[in-house]
Amino acid sequence: MKFWKPFLLVLWIAGIILLLVFYIIPQEEALNTDTIKKLEEANEKLELKNGTLDLEIIKLKKQADSLSGKIYSSSQTIHKLQNELDEKIDSITRMSAMDLYGYFARFKADSTRHK
């Protein structure tokens, strides 16, 4: 009996080792290989999407630059129109009452045609 107990213990350990080596470890490796393949495929898809998004970013930056130019041009036009308006207001402010009447009524006091 003393001889059988260590023999059975060694046999059990050998069985567990064989089970690990031939069944459990290869399945885990297969799972790891499948996981790696799936991750590589996902990585390729993300790289393609990243390239597309990079092109979109470049396109949007060009649009932003174009719009910035238009905004600058529009602000210059607004500034020019504001200056013209200020000049007209200043010229109206300096007018006398009779000049103002003539300006707003579009009335011209031309006595040469009157007979």
Side-chain angles (χ1 to χ4, degrees):
M1 232 17 205
K2 291 181 182 181
F3 177 71
W4 290 104
K5 286 183 182 179
F7 181 72
L8 287 176
L9 181 65
V10 170
L11 189 62
W12 272 100
I13 292 174
I16 291 173
I17 290 173
L18 289 175
L19 179 68
L20 285 172
V21 169
F22 291 112
Y23 185 72
I24 294 175
I25 293 174
Q27 284 185 347
E28 287 179 3
E29 289 177 359
L31 288 174
N32 288 339
T33 305
D34 290 340
T35 304
I36 290 171
K37 287 180 183 178
K38 288 177 183 177
L39 290 174
E40 286 175 350
E41 289 173 3
N43 191 25
E44 289 175 6
K45 289 177 185 177
L46 289 174
E47 285 176 355
L48 289 174
K49 191 164 196 158
N50 191 26
T52 304
L53 290 174
D54 286 341
L55 293 175
E56 185 72 20
I57 287 171
I58 291 170
K59 178 182 170 185
L60 290 174
K61 282 184 179 179
K62 286 180 182 178
Q63 282 181 339
D65 290 341
S66 173
L67 290 175
S68 294
K70 288 180 182 180
I71 288 171
Y72 178 76
S73 174
S74 295
S75 69
Q76 292 293 353
T77 304
I78 290 170
H79 185 67
K80 180 182 172 186
L81 291 173
Q82 185 67 40
N83 286 341
E84 289 177 8
L85 180 65
D86 290 342
E87 289 172 4
K88 287 180 182 180
I89 289 173
D90 287 342
S91 67
I92 291 173
T93 303
R94 285 184 255 122
M95 289 182 176
S96 67
M98 195 61 166
D99 290 335
L100 286 173
Y101 177 73
Y103 181 79
F104 287 110
R106 302 281 185 222
F107 175 73
K108 294 186 180 182
D110 190 6
S111 62
T112 57
R113 290 192 180 187
H114 186 14
K115 294 186 181 181

